[in-house]
Amino acid sequence: SYVVAQTPSLSVAPGQTARIACGGDNIGSKSVHWFQQRPGQAPVLVIQYDFDRPAGIPERFSGSNSGNTATLSISRVEAGDEADYYCQVWDMGNDHPHWVFGGGTKLTVL
Amino acid sequence: QITLKESGPPLLTPTQTLTLTCRFAGFSLTTSGVGVGWIRQPPGKGLEWLALIYWDDEKRYSPSLKTRLTITKDTSKNQVVLTMTNMDAADTATYYCVHSHMVRGVVPPFDPWGQGTLVTVSS
């Protein structure tokens, strides 16, 4: 089964850029989606297909994906960006297609 | 506007079977490419995909849980039901219902999500 790994936590000062990584074997060949989950709320899609922003998501959110690492970048970080962030991929996996989530990164805004 | 809402028992005892219902609005599960799935999240932990059913009744299950899961749909009622057998304390989690819509064969993200329903398994 395909495995994706995320750093458990990241702290960033307001106004700085947060870069959240999602690692997996040749993940650059897959489409990666990113979700933001604020405390007590359901996850919300913030980046789809590696770098596309759904409607209503601020331009401060961007994504990239190459090689073994996909990255979610949040520029000009605000207090409201404090949340857990999860990457997700779809894997064919031995004829048993399934969806895989990273373990999540807790973003703390200092 | 697409909405999904989960319902189910808040408390189960070990070995019981969990039955969850997702009632949705704003789309039809008869539309080509549309799917409804389930994802769970144990308290304080990460997300785990469980199952998904497509408009054409194709079903996908988590490889690690497939022997315990059954997903069905009732398009006339706009609802999807997930059953999970032999529940254990480790299955305590918030269970989310999600929408997806495949276009031109490209597997899409889950969007949006329901608010989730907490299921606790305890004796």
Side-chain angles (χ1 to χ4, degrees):
Chain A
S1 179
Y2 192 78
V3 176
V4 290
Q6 296 183 240
T7 301
S9 63
L10 176 67
S11 298
V12 176
Q16 299 302 303
T17 297
R19 294 182 178 84
I20 299 170
C22 177
D25 183 35
N26 197 25
I27 198 171
S29 66
K30 303 178 182 298
S31 281
V32 178
H33 312 301
W34 290 92
F35 298 89
Q36 175 194 66
Q37 186 178 32
R38 293 189 171 109
Q41 298 185 17
V44 172
L45 180 68
V46 292
I47 290 290
Q48 57 187 355
Y49 306 110
D50 298 337
F51 56 80
D52 184 66
R53 264 189 325 275
I57 301 302
E59 291 184 6
R60 300 185 298 104
F61 288 79
S62 62
S64 63
N65 185 15
S66 179
N68 294 321
T69 305
T71 303
L72 170 69
S73 298
I74 310 171
S75 62
R76 302 183 300 283
V77 165
E78 304 171 354
D81 299 329
E82 189 161 285
D84 294 325
Y85 292 85
Y86 295 91
C87 60
Q88 178 235 317
V89 301
W90 177 79
D91 181 57
M92 268 300 297
N94 298 325
D95 293 329
H96 289 96
H98 58 282
W99 287 260
V100 179
F101 288 95
T105 297
K106 180 177 182 62
L107 176 65
T108 299
V109 181
L110 299 171
Chain B
Q1 179 191 5
I2 291 174
T3 61
L4 309 104
K5 187 169 185 178
E6 308 86 348
S7 61
L11 181 64
L12 289 173
T13 56
T15 75
Q16 282 189 307
T17 294
L18 170 66
T19 299
L20 293 170
T21 300
C22 173
R23 293 179 175 85
F24 56 84
F27 67 96
S28 173
L29 203 35
T30 62
T31 300
S32 178
V34 172
V36 173
W38 290 91
I39 293 162
R40 72 177 179 179
Q41 183 174 37
K45 297 188 178 181
L47 303 168
E48 180 182 22
W49 170 75
L50 300 177
L52 187 138
I53 189 166
Y54 285 110
W55 84 104
D56 59 359
D57 211 39
E58 183 176 356
K59 301 165 187 177
R60 302 291 187 193
Y61 295 104
S62 163
S64 62
L65 292 168
K66 62 182 178 180
T67 61
R68 300 173 54 203
L69 297 172
T70 302
I71 190 169
T72 61
K73 61 181 173 65
D74 186 333
T75 54
S76 66
K77 295 181 179 179
N78 279 356
Q79 67 183 38
V80 169
V81 174
L82 180 76
T83 61
M84 180 181 292
T85 60
N86 195 25
M87 293 290 284
D88 178 78
D91 297 312
T92 293
T94 295
Y95 287 76
Y96 294 99
C97 177
V98 295
H99 163 271
S100 74
H101 190 176
M102 187 185 309
V103 177
R104 292 189 291 274
V106 177
V107 179
F110 301 125
D111 181 48
W113 296 48
Q115 65 188 21
T117 186
L118 176 62
V119 177
T120 301
V121 184
S122 174
S123 55

